[in-house]
């Protein structure tokens, strides 16, 4: 069974070996910062120290990933192979995101522990709730997290710093508004559930354990959604509906992805590619 490590190694190897095939012609001053779309593409596919990816490099990488996905080496990719390879990579992203969230728990705990006695009292917890509620009152018209933030956090953990996050965390009756009674009830229930030893305050271990539980529940939901989406993508890419994806079918999505990032059409994704116009086709960046 081919693994994520093999795919990562292939990415580094094939792009480095194909570097000599890249040609660029500069006819105007080159921007120093890539557009968001080009930057996202380069973040996935450029080798370390490189600031561009040519079509030849990208196609070579795609062929290597296709071969790695074909775990039984029969020359084609079936649905389960496609899903398994995607989930291997997605699991790495989820694990990284989970570790990052847990790293922040100590910082959050210390911020809530205003008297620095190593515990969050109910008064300190409620004071934080008042600050959260005041922020929500000022920002009920705020938008949800940006697409860039969602990309950075595959776990998509809701946060009380956004209006949509507040709804997900506290809107118990799902009417699109968080009222104070809902907020207070949910906060009180969370404090009680977190206070495992029932001593009226929260230790770092209790605080972390409660958050870990929510992280893992969210991971299960997000991973299940990712698997469903992968199966939908396979069905869309398997254009002849024979249950087997050829490289040509597989590469159709890669071509769309590259074309969107290579917005100036010169065959190279780099800082010279302007942001695509609004409404331009957006290819899925995970395949």
């Amino acid at each position: 069974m081919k693994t994520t490590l093999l795919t990562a190694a292939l990415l580094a190897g094939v792009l480095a070996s194909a570097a000599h095939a890249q040609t660029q012609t500069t006819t105007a001053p080159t921007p120093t910062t890539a557009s968001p779309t080009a930057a996202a593409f380069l973040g996935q596919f450029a080798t370390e120290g490189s600031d561009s990816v040519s079509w030849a490099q990208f196609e070579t990488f795609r062929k290597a990933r296709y071969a790695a996905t074909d775990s039984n080496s029969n020359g084609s990719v079936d649905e389960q192979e496609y899903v398994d390879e995607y989930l291997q990579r997605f699991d790495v992203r989820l694990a990284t995101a989970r570790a990052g969230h847990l790293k922040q728990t100590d910082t959050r705990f210390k911020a809530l522990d205003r008297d620095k006695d190593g515990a969050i009292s109910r008064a300190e917890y409620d004071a934080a709730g008042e600050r959260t509620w005041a922020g929500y009152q000022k920002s009920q018209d705020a938008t949800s997290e940006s697409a860039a933030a969602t990309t950075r956090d595959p776990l998509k953990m809701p946060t009380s710093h956004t209006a949509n996050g507040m709804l997900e965390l506290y809107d118990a009756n799902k009417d699109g508004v968080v009222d104070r009674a809902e907020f207070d009830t949910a906060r009180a229930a969370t404090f009680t559930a977190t206070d495992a030893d029932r001593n009226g305050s929260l230790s770092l271990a209790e605080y972390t354990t409660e958050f870990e539980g929510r992280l893992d529940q969210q991971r299960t939901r997000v991973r299940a959604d990712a698997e469903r989406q992968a199966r939908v993508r396979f069905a869309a890419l398997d254009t002849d509906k024979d249950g087997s994806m050829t490289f040509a079918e597989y590469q159709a999505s890669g071509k769309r992805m590259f074309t969107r990032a290579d917005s100036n059409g010169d065959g190279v994704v780099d800082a010279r590619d302007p942001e695509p116009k609004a409404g331009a086709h957006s290819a899925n960046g995970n395949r």
Side-chain angles (χ1 to χ4, degrees):
M1 182 68 183
K2 299 176 179 65
T3 65
T4 304
L5 292 176
L6 172 59
T7 302
L10 285 167
L11 169 59
V14 300
L15 294 189
S17 66
H20 69 277
Q22 178 179 326
T23 58
Q24 299 183 34
T25 302
T26 302
T27 58
T30 302
T32 57
T33 303
S35 71
T37 297
F41 183 92
L42 293 170
Q44 288 192 72
F45 303 111
T47 55
E48 185 175 356
S50 175
D51 57 5
S52 66
V53 175
S54 70
W55 170 250
Q57 289 175 303
F58 183 64
E59 185 171 45
T60 301
F61 164 69
R62 292 282 291 181
K63 287 178 179 178
R65 176 176 280 178
Y66 180 84
T69 304
D70 177 19
S71 60
N72 64 8
S73 301
N74 71 345
S76 64
V77 170
D78 63 31
E79 180 179 358
Q80 196 57 51
E81 288 174 324
Y82 182 87
V83 171
D84 287 346
E85 189 278 334
Y86 173 67
L87 289 180
Q88 285 176 6
R89 290 185 290 114
F90 193 61
D91 283 343
V92 173
R93 294 180 61 211
L94 290 176
T96 300
R98 185 182 188 278
H101 280 290
L102 287 177
K103 188 175 181 180
Q104 291 300 313
T105 57
D106 185 65
T107 300
R108 290 196 301 272
F109 183 89
K110 289 176 179 177
L112 293 175
D113 178 20
R114 291 297 181 96
D115 62 9
K116 307 307 178 187
D117 67 348
I120 299 171
S121 67
R122 184 59 192 265
E124 289 171 327
Y125 183 83
D126 288 345
E130 289 298 329
R131 294 190 294 272
T132 298
W133 180 255
Y136 174 62
Q137 290 290 89
K138 293 178 181 178
S139 62
Q140 289 188 57
D141 294 328
T143 59
S144 62
E145 294 88 341
S146 68
T150 301
T151 299
R152 288 194 299 270
D153 181 17
L155 281 168
K156 303 175 184 177
M157 290 295 290
T159 170
S160 59
H161 297 300
T162 68
N164 280 9
M166 285 287 289
L167 290 174
E168 188 170 345
L169 290 168
Y170 299 114
D171 182 19
N173 63 9
K174 305 304 179 186
D175 66 349
V177 178
V178 177
D179 63 40
R180 188 59 195 253
E182 286 177 313
F183 180 76
D184 288 342
T185 298
R187 294 274 303 176
T190 298
F191 186 93
T192 299
T194 306
D195 183 17
D197 62 9
R198 301 293 184 264
N199 72 344
S201 64
L202 308 180
S203 67
L204 176 59
E206 289 173 326
Y207 185 79
T208 302
T209 296
E210 186 277 332
F211 186 64
E212 278 186 306
R214 287 192 285 124
L215 272 177
D216 292 339
Q217 289 176 358
Q218 183 75 347
R219 179 191 181 280
T220 297
R221 289 191 292 268
V222 168
R223 193 179 191 278
D225 286 343
E227 180 174 352
R228 284 191 292 270
Q229 292 165 9
R231 295 188 186 281
V232 169
R233 288 197 301 273
F234 180 90
L237 292 171
D238 178 23
T239 53
D240 61 8
K241 307 306 176 188
D242 66 350
S244 180
M245 186 189 300
T246 64
F247 178 71
E249 290 172 323
Y250 176 81
Q251 185 64 326
S253 64
K255 177 62 175 174
R256 289 192 296 270
M257 191 191 316
F258 186 90
T259 298
R260 176 170 169 76
D262 179 27
S263 56
N264 67 4
D266 68 351
V268 178
V269 177
D270 57 19
R272 294 177 298 180
D273 291 298
E275 185 65 7
K277 294 181 180 178
H281 177 77
S282 178
N284 188 300
N286 290 324
R287 290 304 309 170

